[in-house]
Structure formats: structure tokens, C-alpha cells
Amino acid sequence: MNVIFKNATILDKESPFHKQKADVKVENGIIKNIGQNLSSKNGFEIVELENLHLSQGWFDSSVSFGEPGFEDRETIANGLNTAAKSGFTNVALQPNSFPVIDNQSQVSFVLNKAKGFATTLHPIGAFTKNSEGTDLAEMFDMKNAGAIAFGDYNKNLDNANLLKIGLQYVQDFDGLVIAYCQDKTVKGNGVVHEGLVSTRLGLKGIPALAEELEVARNLFLLEYTGGKLHIPTISSAKSVELIRAAKAKGLHVTCSVAVHNLVLTDDVLTGFDSRYKVTPPLRDENHRKALLEGVLDGTIDMITSDHNPIDIELKKMEFDNAKNGTIGLESAFGALQNVLSLEIIIEKLTHGKSVFGIEKPAIKEGNKACFTLFTTEGNWEFTKEHILSKSKNSAFLGLPMKGRAYGIYNNGQLILN
């Protein structure tokens, strides 16, 4: 599709047009010209949107779609269309389907399902077979099939030696290991953050210590083995401190934080609404502030929606029994503008590509056109009408939003919300 984007503010530090307003002409998926008052010709679609901004395409390092096995929650097709309309040109798909993505054929299956969409899907292969934490999965074969990293979604690896061996093994092919951190024995039967709110509500708490013990252990293992480790969706102040210190030592560690842990606290649990049951749990204001500081000083490398659709039968039930997870693609940008500056948001929604080895073309003439269209203006409230996912388990319903994604241009396709 040939398009001219009119009067767009370009936000891309790698572009010579950073913070400038210009027209951007795209022909056959390539940026042909950037300048003022570019003339159109037959075959070009003109895109003029209020307060139009363009940045490098956003990347979400953690999404779950359900297919294969849980198509009632979300299909790959609808998930990718949701991602596109939410501003994401690239998403990393978690392996928590049925069967688990733990071999070459499963990686090939989801990649074939994702062909032809504007948003590019990047599979994460399971670190262990069936994500059971017992035997290493076929990581080298999955890497050759297109997997960009290896991890068992929201499952802590109890066997420290297995993580050690895995970190050593993947270095032969420059693999990236993802290690979710939450000690099951310390967590126990906890369902929310351990603190004043859990005590007041009578809900069993999960100490921040459950996360911090495993973060510390995994960083020690990384220091011993070398290699690359990514710690997803951290939630505690001490985790930020530990990772900050590890980076200062020169360890090759990166980490992410979920939008809901930056925006919400456990104060929202007062109504026992299971939409707010997530893992790691929503913590108190002190932890939230520490996470924001970690984002600002670069300790936290990227922000993820941790988009996890759950069918209503497993979500709308007693809090203790409800399944963890919230959808988040549709609300990510609007929610983040409540707590972070625009420049930081764009950086944290694009930097993850560098960590996961994904192409990151700048907005320059001659480069592939891969960018997100959005506006920074407009205050609104997130409601069910804004949900594009098949599942409706959003922790952001009723939350005030600022600005929104218009859509994306990627893989030669224009998708507008």
C-alpha cells in the first residue's frame, strides 16, 4: 500500500527528522521521501489525522493469544489485529498454549498462522518441555525455526542447575533465556500482595520476598555462567535494586515491567474484583514508585502489556479461585501517559526490539516503513466498547486515559483503529 502521512510529528531519536513535523511518503513498504508539502499522485492514500505522531513501531515483549488450544480466549488472527489497532507492529508470543510451544513444529505452526498480518509475531519457545521445569526443551531447533527467546510463561524454574545448564547451552547460538521469578514455597497460597490491604481484606498475601529471592538467585547464576538473561514483569523495589546492581557489574541482564504494575496498586482490590488478580500481584505505592524510578533511570529496559486473555468462566469467580491475568494491548499507551513522559514511553515501547534481536528501522528515507501512528491528546475513559480482544478481562476498565494509538504501518499494510 502506498501512503502519504501528512503533517506528522516524528518522534525517533535515530531519525534526522526527530521532533519535526513533516509529510512521510511510503511506496511499496519503503520510506521514499520525508519533507514538507509532499505532492500526491494516483495510487497513494492520504492519511491526515488530528495531532498525528509517528514513532518507530512499538514492540510488546509478552502477549498470550491462546491458539492453539485456547481459541475461546483469543485467536492469533484477532490477537494480531488487536495489537495493530493498539499501535504494536511487533509482539512476542508466549508459549502457554495447548500444546505448549516447546518444539520446532509448534514454532512453525504459530508463524504460519501469523503470515500476512501487519503486526509481526515473534514466538517465544518454552525453556523446558511442556513448561514443566524438568527437562530442557529443543531450544536450538526452535531458534532455527524462528523463536526469539526461551522461557516458561509465569513459571519459576525451581531447579537452579537446569537454569545454569540452559544459560550455558544457549550461548552456542546467542540465545536469550527468560526467567520468571517467584518462589512457590514463599508464595504459598497467596493471591495478592502481602501488606495492609491483604490484611484488611483477609486475603492471603504474596510477600515481595517471593520474587526477590529468585531474582537474586538467577542473577548469581548468570554471573557464574555468562550469557543473556531477561527477567520479565518485575514488581518489587528490591528487584529493581538487585538488577541495577547486576547491570553495574556488567552482567548481560534485562528486565521488563507490566503496565498495570506501573499504573495500579493493591488499593483497587477493595471490591474483590478478580480483574485485578494478576501475577506478579499489584503491589503498594512504594513498590510502584520504585518501578517508575527504575524505568526512568534505565534499570527497567522495556514496558509490556503482559496481555493475557482469560475466558469468563475462569475469571468471573471467587477471587481465590480466579485465574491470574489481564488483557492490556488496547489500554497500554493511554494508561502509560498518566504516569510517564511521552519520550520515556516511546523509548520503553521500542527498545525491547534491540534486546530480542528484532529489526528496528529508523524513520529515514530508504528504510522499511515500520511505525506506529498515535495522538498524545484527548482525555477519555476506558470502557468495554474499547476492548478489541475476544476476552474482556481488563484491569483498566473505568480508568482515565490520555491519548491513543491510531494504528500502524508495517509489512506494507496500513491498519487504523
Side-chain angles (χ1 to χ4, degrees):
M1 174 180 282
N2 299 328
V3 186
I4 296 178
F5 300 93
K6 301 293 288 184
N7 201 30
T9 300
I10 297 170
L11 293 179
D12 179 3
K13 291 181 179 179
E14 299 171 28
S15 170
F17 297 90
H18 180 49
K19 293 187 176 179
Q20 296 181 31
K21 277 193 175 184
D23 296 348
V24 180
K25 180 182 283 188
V26 177
E27 188 172 354
N28 298 323
I30 302 297
I31 300 173
K32 287 296 183 182
N33 194 221
I34 301 176
Q36 303 298 323
N37 302 314
L38 298 185
S39 60
S40 60
K41 57 182 180 180
N42 291 339
F44 277 79
E45 181 173 339
I46 304 298
V47 174
E48 292 185 86
L49 296 167
E50 186 175 351
N51 189 236
L52 175 60
H53 286 63
L54 297 182
S55 73
Q56 289 187 26
W58 300 345
F59 167 63
D60 195 326
S61 60
S62 178
V63 301
S64 302
F65 286 157
E67 189 176 6
F70 302 115
E71 289 86 353
D72 53 331
R73 299 178 187 174
E74 189 64 282
T75 61
I76 288 174
N78 192 66
L80 290 175
N81 284 326
T82 297
K85 292 179 178 180
S86 303
F88 293 90
T89 59
N90 302 77
V91 294
L93 178 69
Q94 293 288 353
N96 56 327
S97 53
F98 184 77
V100 170
I101 303 173
D102 65 356
N103 59 65
Q104 185 175 1
S105 64
Q106 287 302 120
V107 171
S108 298
F109 173 81
V110 295
L111 284 174
N112 284 329
K113 279 281 187 176
K115 282 182 178 177
F117 288 87
T119 293
T120 303
L121 181 145
H122 306 274
I124 295 172
F127 184 71
T128 61
K129 291 181 180 178
N130 204 35
S131 287
E132 291 177 344
T134 304
D135 301 298
L136 292 179
E138 302 167 2
M139 290 184 281
F140 180 66
D141 288 345
M142 288 192 285
K143 172 84 170 183
N144 289 337
I148 59 168
F150 309 98
D152 298 330
Y153 180 62
N154 282 354
K155 291 186 176 181
N156 186 77
L157 188 61
D158 299 332
N159 188 333
N161 190 55
L162 198 62
L163 180 57
K164 175 181 74 72
I165 293 170
L167 281 166
Q168 292 170 326
Y169 172 66
V170 299
Q171 290 177 54
D172 289 339
F173 51 90
D174 195 31
L176 174 65
V177 172
I178 301 174
Y180 177 75
C181 296
Q182 189 175 81
D183 187 294
K184 288 187 290 189
T185 57
V186 176
K187 172 185 178 291
N189 295 320
V191 292
V192 297
H193 171 62
E194 181 183 82
L196 293 175
V197 173
S198 66
T199 302
R200 188 169 69 246
L201 298 179
L203 292 170
K204 293 177 181 176
I206 305 172
L209 179 68
E211 174 177 304
E212 295 153 4
L213 282 174
E214 293 302 309
V215 169
R217 183 202 76 168
N218 293 342
L219 290 173
F220 272 119
L221 288 170
L222 178 65
E223 187 171 10
Y224 178 82
T225 61
K228 296 189 297 186
L229 181 69
H230 178 69
I231 300 177
T233 57
I234 63 172
S235 66
S236 92
K238 187 65 175 179
S239 295
V240 176
E241 290 179 19
L242 290 165
I243 294 168
R244 184 182 290 125
K247 288 189 170 189
K249 282 184 180 180
L251 299 187
H252 200 147
V253 60
T254 57
C255 64
S256 68
V257 63
V259 176
H260 44 268
N261 286 106
L262 289 176
V263 176
L264 302 171
T265 69
D266 57 354
D267 285 335
V268 300
L269 298 170
T270 304
F272 297 92
D273 193 329
S274 61
R275 289 186 296 112
Y276 301 116
K277 188 181 182 186
V278 292
T279 185
L282 300 175
R283 300 201 185 274
D284 62 30
E285 182 66 6
N286 290 330
H287 288 291
R288 191 186 76 87
K289 286 181 177 178
L291 292 170
L292 287 171
E293 289 172 8
V295 169
L296 293 174
D297 70 15
T299 301
I300 296 175
D301 301 88
M302 64 197 80
I303 298 172
T304 173
S305 72
D306 200 22
H307 181 82
N308 189 7
I310 305 296
D311 49 279
I312 192 169
E313 290 83 1
L314 294 176
K315 199 62 175 172
K316 197 169 185 179
M317 57 195 311
E318 296 88 350
F319 198 96
D320 284 358
N321 297 323
K323 190 172 178 65
N324 289 301
T326 177
I327 58 173
L329 284 168
E330 302 97 313
S331 50
F333 179 69
L336 286 173
Q337 279 223 109
N338 289 322
V339 294
L340 290 168
S341 70
L342 178 62
E343 187 173 342
I344 292 292
I345 293 169
I346 300 304
E347 178 190 341
K348 299 304 178 182
L349 291 180
T350 56
H351 178 67
K353 289 183 178 180
S354 300
V355 174
F356 283 82
I358 296 168
E359 182 185 17
K360 191 170 177 279
I363 303 177
K364 297 179 181 178
E365 294 175 357
N367 279 3
K368 176 188 173 184
C370 171
F371 38 69
T372 297
L373 292 69
F374 61 96
T375 175
T376 60
E377 297 178 348
N379 296 306
W380 54 289
E381 182 180 301
F382 190 74
T383 66
K384 287 184 178 179
E385 287 69 36
H386 299 114
I387 294 178
L388 304 172
S389 306
K390 287 182 68 176
S391 295
K392 311 303 178 186
N393 57 305
S394 173
F396 297 92
L397 289 173
L399 195 73
M401 301 271 154
K402 182 181 178 184
R404 68 177 75 216
Y406 282 132
I408 64 170
Y409 186 98
N410 188 40
N411 294 332
Q413 300 177 55
L414 173 66
I415 304 293
L416 295 177
N417 197 348

